Amino acid sequence: MPWTFPLFDPSQPLQWNALLLFGSLLLLGLIGGHLVSKNPWIPRITGYLLVGIVVGESGLQWLSGDILKVAHIFADIALALVVYQLGRYVDVGWLRHERWLLATVVSGAALCFAFVWMALELLGVARPLAMLAGVFAIGTAPGVVMVVVRDLGAEGQVTRRLAAMTALNNLVALVSAYIMLPVVATDVDIPLQTLLSSTVYSVFGSALLAYLTYRLMMPLARLLGRERSRQFVLVIAIITLTIGAAHALRLPVLLTMLIFAILSKNLDLQYDLMELEFGVASELFIVMLFATIGASIGLADISTIGLSVAVLVGARFAAMACSIFAFARPARLKWRQAGLLTLGTLPMAEASLGLAQISAVYPQTAAAVAPLLAGTLIVLELLGPIATQFALIKSGESGRE
């Protein structure tokens, strides 16, 4: 009597599931990160990105469609953990003494918007899309900055300024994007009142959800006491709960998490909440985050819009350089430190600040600007981490030379 395997048919394609996806990406990402990190100037997250590109839509297409949507769940958790750590660099008391840092952030945001808008419009890009690209370009990649900082163990003036600037840049970029969208949206079939109400809901809804989540967490932190393992679980639980609530309420996750992190840092006057290092736990999700970003990158995009991408990257870098160098002396930065800080801001915010969420209200606008932002992401996600790692090593704040 022949043996049969009724539950498995070798002629059918392998059915991916969440566990198979998670385990495969962790294994491949671990190998890719290890191989590239043999070069001291290349961070391991570059290896994660390359693995994502190989298995994603531009490569073997193992990670695409519905499977990619599952991967985005893990990526959301990773980005939320990163943003939480990043937001806690925004200490209002410290910023009062570092008012030139705020001036750098504000001027950098204004110059980035103006430079990118004008440069793209001169190139022939439609004004609404050029303006929107200028707003999106303000954000510096939180995942890249925090992972590189943590890997290098970097600490010092350049590192702290880079982290605080990244958090504030993203906050400005997100709020500005939602304010700008009703003005420049090409979705003419949607009433202006609907667009404006969407902006108000997104911005103030995120702030309210962040505050309510903070108010939920603090009594629990006091109840559990300053015991690291318990607070670790508490923060992970609250962050996951916040992501789920933001998705359910159709609120921007990144904006909600940034506000939540800043509130938890500055309203906790009794220091009930400990400073936590997520370490090994976050490492699992970091691999998923950058592999997912890599899988989402379409290499074909850059072939048709290469010039626009080059102009956007150049204009953004010039704007950041002008703002940082303009306030370097009042901020007590040496010219070398200012140059390295500028280089560290090169990576642009991952996934273009949640363009997928914006597309729910502005489908036509999101579809029009997506190719340009995707092409820029290809360049800055691959070159940005290398630039940030180089900058922090050369700053002498990483313990490596």
Side-chain angles (χ1 to χ4, degrees):
M1 180 177 178
W3 288 92
T4 60
F5 299 91
L7 299 181
F8 175 69
D9 185 354
S11 66
Q12 297 297 319
L14 183 66
Q15 295 297 312
W16 284 89
N17 57 59
L19 290 176
L20 188 58
L21 167 71
F22 192 73
S24 300
L25 278 186
L26 282 179
L27 183 59
L28 293 173
L30 182 66
I31 295 170
H34 174 70
L35 292 176
V36 301
S37 64
K38 289 183 178 296
N39 185 319
W41 302 105
I42 302 180
R44 60 194 168 83
I45 55 177
T46 301
Y48 305 158
L49 285 165
L50 293 174
V51 165
I53 292 173
V54 170
V55 302
E57 296 177 347
S58 298
L60 300 173
Q61 297 186 353
W62 293 349
L63 190 58
S64 60
D66 292 338
I67 298 298
L68 187 58
K69 291 179 182 178
V70 174
H72 275 295
I73 297 173
F74 298 110
D76 278 348
I77 296 173
L79 193 56
L81 290 172
V82 165
V83 169
Y84 174 78
Q85 291 176 296
L86 183 69
R88 292 183 64 82
Y89 274 86
V90 183
D91 186 333
V92 174
W94 177 67
L95 289 176
R96 288 197 189 101
H97 301 288
E98 294 288 347
R99 58 185 181 277
W100 296 113
L101 179 62
L102 287 175
T104 302
V105 170
V106 173
S107 63
L111 289 176
C112 189
F113 170 66
F115 283 16
V116 172
W117 168 20
M118 291 187 293
L120 289 177
E121 191 168 338
L122 286 174
L123 197 62
V125 177
R127 175 169 294 181
L129 299 184
M131 294 175 69
L132 195 55
V135 172
F136 280 127
I138 294 171
T140 303
V144 171
V145 170
M146 285 309 300
V147 173
V148 172
V149 166
R150 193 189 69 188
D151 280 358
L152 295 176
E155 183 59 49
Q157 190 175 23
V158 173
T159 301
R160 186 165 188 181
R161 286 175 180 276
L162 177 60
M165 283 179 62
T166 300
L168 294 172
N169 281 344
N170 279 285
L171 189 61
V172 171
L174 282 162
V175 173
S176 300
Y178 279 96
I179 293 174
M180 179 69 65
L181 276 164
V183 179
V184 303
T186 57
D187 304 75
V188 293
D189 54 333
I190 301 178
L192 180 61
Q193 183 178 357
T194 302
L195 300 180
L196 290 174
S197 62
S198 174
T199 292
V200 172
Y201 175 75
S202 297
V203 175
F204 289 97
S206 294
L208 179 59
L209 176 59
Y211 179 73
L212 292 176
T213 308
Y214 163 77
R215 295 293 297 175
L216 170 65
M217 182 174 67
M218 295 316 298
L220 293 173
R222 284 192 288 272
L223 176 66
L224 295 173
R226 291 179 60 82
E227 205 282 319
R228 192 168 297 277
S229 62
R230 293 175 185 172
Q231 289 212 1
F232 177 87
V233 176
L234 171 65
V235 171
I236 295 292
I238 292 293
I239 287 175
T240 307
L241 180 67
T242 306
I243 295 171
H247 278 300
L249 297 171
R250 296 184 180 275
L251 293 170
V253 174
L254 187 55
L255 180 59
T256 303
M257 286 307 308
L258 267 174
I259 297 173
F260 168 68
I262 293 171
L263 290 177
S264 69
K265 173 66 176 180
N266 292 279
L267 295 185
D268 182 18
L269 301 180
Q270 297 180 353
Y271 301 101
D272 293 312
L273 196 63
M274 301 175 67
E275 292 292 342
L276 299 173
E277 174 55 53
F278 293 101
V280 176
S282 67
E283 189 66 24
L284 301 176
F285 294 105
I286 291 298
V287 177
M288 293 296 296
L289 171 62
F290 287 98
T292 302
I293 292 172
S296 304
I297 291 175
L299 294 180
D301 295 332
I302 200 169
S303 62
T304 56
I305 54 170
L307 182 58
S308 298
V309 168
V311 168
L312 191 157
V313 172
R316 181 180 182 274
F317 186 78
M320 294 296 185
C322 288
S323 62
I324 291 171
F325 276 92
F327 296 101
R329 285 304 188 195
R332 300 182 301 281
L333 280 177
K334 298 177 181 177
W335 294 126
R336 184 172 184 272
Q337 290 177 311
L340 293 172
L341 183 58
T342 302
L343 194 60
T345 63
L346 184 64
M348 198 170 83
E350 292 91 351
S352 304
L353 300 173
L355 191 62
Q357 290 179 311
I358 291 171
S359 65
V361 181
Y362 304 89
Q364 297 173 19
T365 302
V369 76
L372 176 58
L373 294 178
T376 306
L377 191 67
I378 295 171
V379 175
L380 295 184
E381 284 291 351
L382 292 176
L383 298 181
I386 298 173
T388 301
Q389 178 144 316
F390 178 86
L392 293 180
I393 290 175
K394 286 297 182 182
S395 71
E397 298 178 1
S398 69
R400 289 165 50 179
E401 289 291 346

